[in-house]
Amino acid sequence: MKVLGIETSCDETAVAILEIDTSGLRVLSNLINSQVKIHSQYGGVVPEVAARQHSHNLIPLLEHALAATKLEIGDIDIIAATQGPGLAGSLMVGLETAKTLAWSHNLPLIPINHLLGHLWSWLLPTPEKRESINFDFPFLSLIVSGGHTELVLVKSFKDHEILGQTLDDAAGEAFDKVAKVLNLGYPGGPVIAERADLGDASRFELPRPMIDSNNFSFSFSGLKTAVLYSWWDLKKTEQDINDMAASFQKAVIDVLLYKTKLALKKYPVSLVTISGGVSANLSLRQHLSDEFEKDKVKVAVPQLVYTGDNAAMIALAGYFEWLNTKSKKIADKHLALSIKPNLKLKAKS
Ligand code: KG4
Ligand code: ZN
């Protein structure tokens, strides 16, 4: 079957088409129109600007995806669109467009939790390559993005137990805020990672928040404040920037690693997945793989194109939802759907 995915929860307008059945999956098209350049001049995402950009870009992107795959909307079997969490105006553009398409072409529409998209993104193959879908439940999923930091025990397609999440800033948000302190621009993740490669991670002693809490909660706002205090007294040379970036990145990785290890101790599964924008961080990937794979726990990460926001992951989550929703009535309910900016993952649905 062919699944059309639409993602507009934040500052990426994205459209994807998957060809998928129970034996395998192929990404026929994965288009992402990033607004990063526009928002970087304001130092972060401006919601009103993001929504306008989505409405400007979404239809041309849809046309492009169909033309590039030589498909017509009539060839699509289901549509999956992000319902939340995210920015209200941005979500509205994607979901209302999806509703209109579904209504006018009599197609089922599956509303998707953006976090579920990230949760499944590690399964997506390189565009054009067909791959089988092969894994076992339960597994541990660490979702680290600009808006979220969640450790989830995935027991089935419909049962996701959130073991812990951030009490304040998300991991990606901390990267973005620290980059602001170091005057490195937005988004912070990629540039901090680049600087960290050149720095000495042991130069600044930064806290590892909540590492002794014996639960799976995270907190990153104190870490950002600690960076700010250490930064004031420095000359702010290039080496200072590199060393601070390295020390900060190491502190985040230590916490993520420690909490995931703690979760593995309590729930000894054989697969850990890391996804979301921060999972693009190569040092994070390396540390987690080194730590867990020596104990025969497989670490799976998305290909770099699928770490940030994309619609292929939404289409995949939509397919799983479709496959596992007993009553296929979702199809008939699409006109009543509305956005859910504060949508959470559910333990059982
Ligand atoms: O998943 P995503 O694209 O959007 C949300 O759903 O939030 O994640 C964006 C976040 C940003 O905070 C960005 O700074 C961070 O991912 N990020 C990284 C890296 N690349 C992007 N953080 C650390 N290292 C990276 N290489
Ligand atoms: Zn995201």
Side-chain angles (χ1 to χ4, degrees):
M1 85 181 334
K2 296 201 174 51
V3 187
L4 171 69
I6 297 178
E7 154 64 35
T8 61
S9 66
C10 190
D11 59 346
E12 256 97 35
T13 316
V15 170
I17 302 174
L18 299 193
E19 186 179 64
I20 185 166
D21 55 42
T22 41
S23 68
L25 137 78
R26 201 150 65 104
V27 179
L28 301 181
S29 176
N30 180 47
L31 302 178
I32 304 170
N33 187 316
S34 174
Q35 305 170 12
V36 157
K37 270 199 185 131
I38 297 170
H39 297 290
S40 63
Q41 53 188 312
Y42 307 107
V45 179
V46 183
E48 169 68 21
V49 175
R52 281 172 192 241
Q53 285 298 316
H54 288 310
S55 57
H56 188 255
N57 295 330
L58 184 53
I59 298 290
L61 218 54
L62 275 162
E63 283 179 336
H64 196 79
L66 290 169
T69 50
K70 299 194 172 56
L71 293 171
E72 293 183 4
I73 192 79
D75 298 321
I76 300 293
D77 297 291
I78 57 175
I79 302 178
T82 306
Q83 184 180 33
L87 301 170
S90 292
L91 288 167
M92 225 180 277
V93 176
L95 191 64
E96 294 302 319
T97 305
K99 277 163 71 175
T100 310
L101 278 175
W103 176 73
S104 57
H105 294 87
N106 201 20
L107 292 171
L109 169 61
I110 322 282
I112 292 301
N113 184 319
H114 179 82
L115 291 173
L116 261 193
H118 281 303
L119 190 148
W120 291 119
S121 59
W122 58 278
L123 280 169
L124 290 163
T126 315
E128 292 302 319
K129 220 176 140 211
R130 187 178 163 82
E131 244 163 57
S132 56
I133 300 172
N134 211 346
F135 67 92
D136 291 315
F137 292 111
F139 63 90
L140 268 177
S141 165
L142 175 66
I143 304 172
V144 271
S145 73
H148 299 272
T149 305
E150 323 239 346
L151 197 48
V152 187
L153 182 64
V154 187
K155 298 178 191 169
S156 73
F157 283 111
K158 306 289 280 178
D159 190 354
H160 317 116
E161 184 183 343
I162 298 179
L163 305 179
Q165 53 195 321
T166 183
L167 303 178
D168 41 56
D169 292 352
E173 192 179 353
F175 271 89
D176 295 335
K177 288 182 174 171
V178 165
K180 218 176 217 179
V181 172
L182 305 187
N183 212 10
L184 294 175
Y186 172 87
V191 61
I192 295 254
E194 221 172 88
R195 292 301 198 126
D197 279 348
L198 308 170
D200 171 8
S202 63
R203 171 152 166 222
F204 298 103
E205 244 178 70
L206 297 173
R208 270 56 178 164
M210 313 243 359
I211 215 155
D212 299 320
S213 65
N214 205 27
N215 60 26
F216 305 113
S217 299
F218 301 89
S219 162
F220 292 107
S221 78
L223 180 55
K224 167 206 67 193
T225 312
V227 168
L228 191 64
Y229 286 150
S230 313
W231 193 239
W232 274 341
D233 301 331
L234 295 174
K235 284 202 178 121
K236 303 173 182 48
T237 63
E238 291 300 305
Q239 196 57 52
D240 290 339
I241 296 176
N242 297 344
D243 292 345
M244 187 59 86
S247 304
F248 161 76
Q249 179 176 279
K250 184 67 175 41
V252 175
I253 292 173
D254 281 355
V255 174
L256 294 175
L257 180 66
Y258 183 87
K259 295 282 174 169
T260 312
K261 229 164 123 177
L262 197 65
L264 259 180
K265 214 183 251 175
K266 186 160 177 195
Y267 306 98
V269 296
S270 56
L271 171 66
V272 171
T273 66
I274 331 165
S275 51
V278 181
S279 74
N281 189 290
L282 299 181
S283 185
L284 173 68
R285 289 172 174 229
Q286 195 64 53
H287 276 87
L288 266 75
S289 305
D290 289 352
E291 183 67 33
F292 298 136
E293 291 192 343
K294 66 175 190 265
D295 294 328
K296 305 270 179 293
V297 174
K298 188 179 167 211
V299 175
V301 289
Q303 306 207 17
L304 287 176
V305 290
Y306 306 121
T307 53
D309 291 346
N310 66 85
M313 68 183 194
I314 301 301
L316 180 58
Y319 171 75
F320 287 149
E321 192 74 14
W322 172 253
L323 201 63
N324 295 292
T325 304
K326 283 181 201 90
S327 133
K328 299 225 160 152
K329 278 192 191 144
I330 354 174
D332 306 325
K333 287 196 204 149
H334 56 64
L335 285 182
L337 284 174
S338 55
I339 57 158
K340 295 188 177 169
N342 298 315
L343 192 59
K344 307 262 185 285
L345 274 182
K346 282 196 205 116
K348 265 199 183 117
S349 58

